Structures are given as structure tokens and as C-alpha cells.
Amino acid sequence: MSNYTFEVANPVVIAVRAKEPSDFKFEIENYQELLKSVARTGSDRIESSEFNAGGHSWVLIMYPNGNKRENGSGNVSLYLKLVNKPAGGGAVFASFKFFLFDKARETYITINDAKERRFDAAHLEWGIARALPVAAFNDERNGLLMNNSCTLGAEVYVIKNTFTVARLSLVEKETLRTFNWPVYDFSTIRSDKYSENFTIEGRSWKLRLYPKGNRTGQGKYLSLYLYLEDLADLTGGRKLYVECTLSIKDQISGNDHKQTVGFWFDFNNDNRGFDMFLPLAELNTKGYKHDDALFIDANLNEMFILQEIN
């Protein structure tokens, strides 16, 4: 490893090879923008789409600033997750190897801890908390993060050779990403109310409002959610990550109430929002409701599409 500017913590085994990973590659574009978006929503990890190895479905997980729960601070942490719990209290035994593509030298750095792991209902994730120092990953001399993109990979040794490539890409802004929803006759809404459908980046969306709250917010909060109507193409591991800011205008002081949420939309997950968006006590005492009307905005700040490309 004399060509690189880092050392790794024992007992991690690190090597260099020319051959790409036999099971999975995960290409991440617009890396810095993704980190900022994920951080704004309180997350600390990036997940890939599902891939198959050895007859099981897996997900590759990256903690860009370390898995602090396992003393990974200051390091890139890499983990492997078994998607489905083994039936009947069983387990899947597997060893694995992580990959980082060195774009400068067109080789792969491989990282593993040379251990066989038991994946079962109690422990579906295993990995390496201190895979690589963050400073080394960000140092362009090492070739791992260049032109704001990187490529990760994995091999799982239970396995027959399969090969899948997933790419997580920023959706470039081509349309206005703000929707304005005036809600008149607010006091007449009995249970909930949907907005009209609106189109952003070629997809149909709508908002859903619960004036007296929903689930954990019932009776104390106004609840507000964003729905994605077009789900037909979000199958087979294809997902859409959206960072959305929902707001209600303060019609008197101008101090609008805002909350931001980040969420992965897929075929089985069509909405995300807030059970406890705005306390009803504030709704009734501040300037959010005026002449029995509310003005709600939805702004889709960032969108990332995850898809298989081979």
C-alpha cells in the first residue's frame, strides 16, 4: 500500500486488485450534495439497492463519517445487511469483502476482516466500523473520491457469481419544484383533505392534510404528508430519494413554520411527512390561519434516483 496516504486499523485486511467485484458495484454521483442532503434529515448512512449473492438478497451500507455506535468516528464505515430474516430461526453464514474503486490507478482497494459472520434475526448487519479514515477517502491522491463521485462494491462468499450495478444519481432541476396549496374553509374539513395532483420532474405528487392530527399527532397537532402518485417504475430495487421542505405561511408576521423530511420512495412506500407538524395551539393563536384559510407550500429541494443500469 505504499502508493497511498493511509494505514488501516487492525485486524482489517487491505489489498489491491485489478478485477472488479463479482457481486455488486454501487456508483454514487454528486457525493457531496448527497451527504449534505442526508445530514440535513438527521441520517448518517447511505444504502444501496438490493442485490443477490448466494441465493440471498443483500444491501451495502456506507457511513460516510463513521458508525459512531461502533466507535467508527473519523472513518468511513462499511456494512452488509441481509434483507430477509432467515426462516425458522435459522442463519446465513457468510464472509464478505468490500471494494473501493481507485479511479486514478484503475484498480480496486479491497477491505475485509477475514471473519465468517452469522446473519440471523438478531443480527442482520455486519461490517467494518473503521474501514478507512475519512481524510484518506476524501484525499484525491488516493483516487477514491474524484469529480464528486465514487464507486463501492461487495463480494459475499456464500455465492454463485452474479453481477449487478446500481447507480445513485442527482436528478437535475428541470422544472419549478415548489407547489403552493391554498386551503380555504379550513374549519369545514372533517377528517383529512388532499390537494390537487401536481407535477414535478415528470412525476405526479399530492399533499394530504389532517387538520386535527393523525396517529401520534391526533388531537394535538396538524399533520401533513407528501405523496408520490407515480410508483409503477419504482420496482426491482429502483428508488427515489427526496428531500422536501413543507411549510405553512404565517399570514401576519411572515415567520412561516417549516419542517424538512428526507425519504426513499419505492413501490411499497408512497408517502412521508409529519404526524406532529404544527401544534394546534400555535395554529389557533398565531397567524397561520387567517379568514379560515391556510397557505401551504411544498418544496422538493433535492431528488436522487437509484436504479440498476446494466
Side-chain angles (χ1 to χ4, degrees):
M1 302 298 295
S2 59
N3 292 329
Y4 297 95
T5 65
F6 60 88
E7 298 291 338
V8 295
N10 290 327
V12 175
V13 179
I14 190 165
V16 176
R17 83 180 202 192
K19 184 180 180 298
E20 62 193 1
S22 61
D23 289 324
F24 187 61
K25 283 170 61 180
F26 185 24
E27 299 177 356
I28 303 176
E29 299 179 343
N30 308 100
Y31 179 80
Q32 298 298 341
E33 290 83 353
L34 175 62
L35 258 60
K36 292 176 183 177
S37 182
V38 170
R40 282 195 295 265
T41 58
S43 181
D44 60 353
R45 58 197 258 166
I46 298 168
E47 295 192 11
S48 77
S49 60
E50 297 179 17
F51 65 97
N52 181 271
H56 299 277
S57 293
W58 309 85
V59 169
L60 175 60
I61 301 170
M62 176 188 190
Y63 292 80
N65 293 303
N67 182 0
K68 298 177 177 60
R69 292 174 292 279
E70 294 191 5
N71 299 318
S73 297
N75 293 271
V76 173
S77 302
L78 298 172
Y79 285 77
L80 186 68
K81 177 182 178 180
L82 180 64
V83 174
N84 300 312
K85 295 180 181 179
V92 175
F93 292 89
S95 60
F96 46 84
K97 184 178 292 183
F98 297 117
F99 291 72
L100 297 170
F101 183 51
D102 178 351
K103 296 182 180 182
R105 301 164 185 84
E106 295 188 344
T107 55
Y108 288 85
I109 295 176
T110 67
I111 302 173
N112 70 88
D113 62 0
K115 295 179 180 178
E116 184 179 79
R117 298 297 189 180
R118 176 189 171 101
F119 293 82
D120 56 24
H123 209 141
L124 292 172
E125 292 184 20
W126 287 99
I128 302 173
R130 301 175 67 190
L132 190 74
V134 172
F137 182 81
N138 292 337
D139 189 341
E140 285 200 355
R141 291 175 296 176
N142 294 319
L144 306 177
L145 180 61
M146 298 184 69
N147 299 321
N148 202 21
S149 66
C150 61
T151 299
L152 314 179
E155 286 182 353
V156 186
Y157 298 102
V158 259
I159 65 175
K160 55 186 177 182
N161 282 343
T162 59
F163 185 73
T164 304
V165 179
R167 178 174 293 164
L168 183 59
S169 305
L170 179 71
V171 178
E172 298 295 340
K173 291 186 179 180
E174 296 182 359
T175 62
L176 183 66
R177 290 189 175 178
T178 299
F179 172 69
N180 310 114
W181 182 25
V183 182
Y184 300 109
D185 300 319
F186 177 78
S187 62
T188 66
I189 303 173
R190 284 175 169 261
S191 175
D192 64 323
K193 183 179 179 66
Y194 287 100
S195 73
E196 63 186 71
N197 285 17
F198 57 96
T199 300
I200 290 179
E201 303 300 354
R203 295 182 182 272
S204 181
W205 310 79
K206 64 184 178 184
L207 299 175
R208 189 177 189 180
L209 169 70
Y210 288 83
K212 296 181 180 179
N214 182 42
R215 294 183 302 214
T216 58
Q218 191 168 15
K220 295 182 179 181
Y221 289 84
L222 179 147
S223 302
L224 187 60
Y225 307 91
L226 173 71
Y227 279 74
L228 174 59
E229 294 286 277
D230 300 328
L231 298 171
D233 67 328
L234 298 182
T235 58
R238 185 180 168 96
K239 303 177 185 179
L240 184 69
Y241 175 79
V242 176
E243 178 197 318
C244 177
T245 298
L246 302 175
S247 62
I248 295 182
K249 291 186 177 296
D250 187 322
Q251 302 173 58
I252 296 176
S253 70
N255 295 320
D256 301 346
H257 180 79
K258 300 180 180 181
Q259 291 201 54
T260 298
V261 63
F263 185 61
W264 291 99
F265 289 90
D266 59 30
F267 191 77
N268 296 310
N269 297 278
D270 68 345
N271 74 90
R272 190 60 178 261
F274 301 94
D275 294 348
M276 298 182 289
F277 183 74
L278 177 67
L280 295 180
E282 294 187 19
L283 175 67
N284 295 320
T285 58
K286 295 186 178 181
Y288 304 116
K289 183 175 66 173
H290 186 63
D291 291 336
D292 205 26
L294 299 182
F295 294 91
I296 299 173
D297 289 342
N299 188 72
L300 276 60
N301 307 318
E302 299 289 356
M303 298 173 64
F304 290 82
I305 186 71
L306 174 64
Q307 56 191 329
E308 294 182 3
I309 62 173
N310 56 317

